[in-house]
Amino acid sequence: VYFVNDVAFDPTDPAKVWVCAGNKYLPVARSINGGETWQSARTGLPEGAVGYSISIDAVNPNNMYAAMSGQNGVYKTNNFALYWLRRNEGLGSSDVRVVRSAPGAPEVVYAGTYGHGVFRSTNGADSWRATGALPEGGARAVWSLAIDPASADRVWAGTSAGTAIARGSLPS
């Protein structure tokens, strides 16, 4: 696996490792032996898309989210990545660059976009709403997200402005 954009571990089994790669032939891959061998986990993902970001639900690691290139958006699996489903209702044509699930609230998921700021889902990515949490100075390209483990309402966004912005409580 090469051109890796993001790495995630299964919270219940550290031998299970997932990567999103900037490789249109292998955008998501998994290892069940700590990275010694890799296998494709792309069934259901769009042809030619590359993976930007992957997030694993801390409560149920069968639930995973992947941000795919272009306007392909967010994909979700609930079966150990045997099959991915597109979950973009409310994201419009947003180019999603990062996706993160909240550590203590499995239904809360955030998506950081290139050009449209941060979106939030409160139903496991079935639908999305803009949070209004836009980076200061008009820089709306979000490259990384971190969610407070004590409160799914507190999220920080790493942006094209080069700073992480704390945004306090966000609307649901």
Side-chain angles (χ1 to χ4, degrees), residues 97-144:
R97 295 299 174 107
V98 59
V99 64
R100 292 290 180 252
S101 56
E107 294 300 310
V108 177
V109 185
Y110 288 94
T113 68
Y114 186 84
H116 296 99
V118 179
F119 286 76
R120 176 182 171 155
S121 172
T122 57
N123 55 15
D126 286 342
S127 62
W128 298 89
R129 287 184 54 196
T131 64
L134 298 176
E136 293 177 11
R140 296 182 179 191
V142 178
W143 301 103
S144 63

Side-chain angles (χ1 to χ4, degrees), residues 10 56-57 60-64 77-81:
D10 182 322
I56 300 174
D57 183 332
N60 181 356
N62 285 325
N63 292 334
M64 290 179 258
T77 181
N78 61 7
N79 59 12
F80 193 64

Side-chain angles (χ1 to χ4, degrees), residues 140-166:
R140 296 182 179 191
V142 178
W143 301 103
S144 63
L145 292 171
I147 303 167
D148 184 336
S151 172
D153 290 335
R154 291 175 43 96
V155 63
W156 287 259
T159 74
S160 57
T163 58
I165 309 298

Side-chain angles (χ1 to χ4, degrees), residues 4-140:
V4 172
N5 291 324
D6 201 11
V7 179
F9 287 89
D10 182 322
T12 62
D13 183 354
K16 294 177 182 172
V17 185
W18 299 85
V19 296
C20 262
N23 176 343
K24 66 181 182 178
Y25 303 107
L26 188 66
V28 178
R30 70 173 165 243
S31 173
I32 58 172
N33 56 16
E36 290 182 36
T37 60
W38 295 92
Q39 57 188 179
S40 175
R42 72 163 296 129
T43 303
L45 295 175
E47 198 66 38
V50 300
Y52 286 143
S53 173
I54 191 160
S55 184
I56 300 174
D57 183 332
V59 176
N60 181 356
N62 285 325
N63 292 334
M64 290 179 258
Y65 306 90
M68 303 306 293
S69 64
Q71 295 177 355
N72 290 302
V74 175
Y75 283 75
K76 178 182 180 178
T77 181
N78 61 7
N79 59 12
F80 193 64
L82 295 176
Y83 193 83
W84 295 88
L85 296 171
R86 191 170 189 213
R87 294 289 183 238
N88 290 337
E89 183 182 323
L91 286 174
S93 62
S94 296
D95 183 359
V96 178
R97 295 299 174 107
V98 59
V99 64
R100 292 290 180 252
S101 56
E107 294 300 310
V108 177
V109 185
Y110 288 94
T113 68
Y114 186 84
H116 296 99
V118 179
F119 286 76
R120 176 182 171 155
S121 172
T122 57
N123 55 15
D126 286 342
S127 62
W128 298 89
R129 287 184 54 196
T131 64
L134 298 176
E136 293 177 11
R140 296 182 179 191

